[in-house]
Amino acid sequence: MFKTILLPTDGSVIANAMMRRCIEMARESGAKIIGLHVIPDFHVFAYQPEMVVDTREQYKLDSEAHARNYLADMALAAQDAGVACETLFVQDNEPYAAIVKVAKEKDCDLICMASHGRKGVKALLLGSETQKVLTHSQIPVLVFR
């Protein structure tokens, strides 16, 4: 059915649970996984505490280390399940746009994402990257809750 599945992750508990379910789905269908982590641009005013105290250079080093850790966990889980897995991270201030772009570039035929289920002010301030991907993607999106 699906041959190449894009699996974006933010390293959250919800994303990790979804990752394992998606890897199982990929194993059952013989699909390959492309793991993606999008690093937001450095900002002086930010919602992430690391951005406020870090220099631009330190933020880059820390963010890339986090990305490598998230993606290493995914690659190991995929390997244990016998699923082919490629990983990459990119920097973009609009994660949804990066997700849609990578999905096209890598010829993915499905994007699997977690829904954090934010409501109220949190949803308004942080937005929903999943909702934005659903709105802008020409590729099917499977949302795990």
Side-chain angles (χ1 to χ4, degrees):
M1 178 187 251
F2 297 110
K3 295 179 183 168
T4 307
I5 302 171
L6 182 66
L7 184 50
T9 184
D10 61 4
S12 67
V13 172
I14 293 169
N16 286 339
M18 180 272 305
M19 169 193 69
R20 298 194 187 292
R21 291 170 62 194
C22 185
I23 288 172
E24 180 61 25
M25 185 180 75
R27 185 187 65 75
E28 290 173 0
S29 65
K32 143 180 154 174
I33 295 286
I34 305 217
L36 173 67
H37 179 74
V38 181
I39 300 170
D41 293 335
F42 180 84
H43 296 284
V44 176
F45 298 105
Y47 65 91
Q48 290 179 326
E50 296 87 11
M51 288 185 195
V52 177
V53 296
D54 281 350
T55 62
R56 186 176 305 275
E57 294 78 22
Q58 189 61 49
Y59 171 74
K60 181 179 187 315
L61 291 172
D62 292 344
S63 296
E64 289 179 1
H66 288 294
R68 284 187 188 93
N69 286 336
Y70 302 150
L71 296 170
D73 289 345
M74 184 183 298
L76 183 59
Q79 180 182 359
D80 289 347
V83 174
C85 180
E86 172 187 341
T87 62
L88 70 146
F89 58 88
V90 297
Q91 187 166 345
D92 197 310
N93 211 35
E94 295 181 332
Y96 82 89
I99 291 166
V100 171
K101 179 180 178 188
V102 169
K104 286 180 188 174
E105 289 173 350
K106 296 291 186 175
D107 291 325
C108 296
D109 46 10
L110 180 67
I111 301 170
C112 289
M113 297 186 71
S115 172
H116 288 272
R118 293 185 183 107
K119 296 179 182 174
V121 175
K122 270 189 175 178
L124 183 64
L125 291 175
L126 298 178
S128 169
E129 295 307 316
T130 301
Q131 182 63 42
K132 293 174 191 170
V133 170
L134 282 165
T135 302
H136 293 90
S137 178
Q138 300 297 314
I139 297 166
V141 180
L142 177 60
V143 179
F144 288 87
R145 293 193 60 66

